[in-house]
Amino acid sequence: MAELPSIVVAEEDYNRLSTLLERVAGKSDVADGLEDELSRADLKPLSEMPEGVVTMNSVIRFVDEDANKEHEMMLVYPHEVGDSAQKVSILAPAGAAMLGLSIGDSIEWPMAGRKPIHLKVVSVTRNA
């Protein structure tokens, strides 16, 4: 796996995600990977998060570098996805991979039974 970019996570997101991960412990490879990501994150209060960092409820424009396709989605908690194609769950591989990244960061995220995905963050719009 390539060297991981540094990540910054809002303390509020960290606390809520930690509770979520306790509920799904051992049930998902993505949850296990997200737990690893959170363990290496630099935590800051949401009010002090730098612009351009992916937080929960951010709208992220990113490139799937394997397919060379650009996408725009909102990063949400699993119960908020519904049937929207414009939302990605934090427990989906792409969602977990992007939390805490900054504009310009790329990450390789492992996929069970498949080649890893490679994503690059192009823009981040944080919802108030």
Side-chain angles (χ1 to χ4, degrees), residues 45-56:
L46 188 57
S47 61
E48 295 177 19
M49 288 294 287
E51 288 296 316
V53 174
V54 176
T55 61
M56 294 302 298

Side-chain angles (χ1 to χ4, degrees), residues 4-128:
L4 297 171
S6 61
I7 61 172
V8 181
V9 174
E11 291 171 349
E12 297 86 341
D13 291 345
Y14 177 87
N15 293 335
R16 198 165 168 198
L17 290 168
S18 294
T19 301
L20 173 65
L21 290 172
E22 286 174 16
R23 289 198 314 252
V24 298
K27 297 178 185 174
S28 161
D29 289 341
V30 175
D32 294 343
L34 178 57
E35 193 165 16
D36 291 344
E37 289 291 283
L38 291 175
S39 72
R40 68 183 192 84
D42 178 19
L43 301 179
K44 292 188 183 287
L46 188 57
S47 61
E48 295 177 19
M49 288 294 287
E51 288 296 316
V53 174
V54 176
T55 61
M56 294 302 298
N57 300 308
S58 293
V59 175
I60 309 126
R61 182 170 290 277
F62 63 97
V63 174
D64 173 340
E65 295 180 310
D66 300 309
N68 201 26
K69 286 191 172 183
E70 194 167 290
H71 304 276
E72 184 174 275
M73 295 185 178
M74 178 184 284
L75 182 60
V76 298
Y77 293 94
H79 70 277
E80 298 172 326
V81 174
D83 57 3
S84 174
Q86 299 305 308
K87 293 181 180 178
V88 61
S89 168
I90 186 66
L91 293 181
M98 288 187 289
L99 180 70
L101 296 181
S102 298
I103 294 170
D105 284 346
S106 296
I107 192 165
E108 177 182 287
W109 189 265
M111 299 283 290
R114 297 187 8 206
K115 292 192 291 190
I117 57 174
H118 300 85
L119 305 174
K120 182 174 183 173
V121 178
V122 177
S123 71
V124 178
T125 305
R126 192 168 313 139
N127 289 337

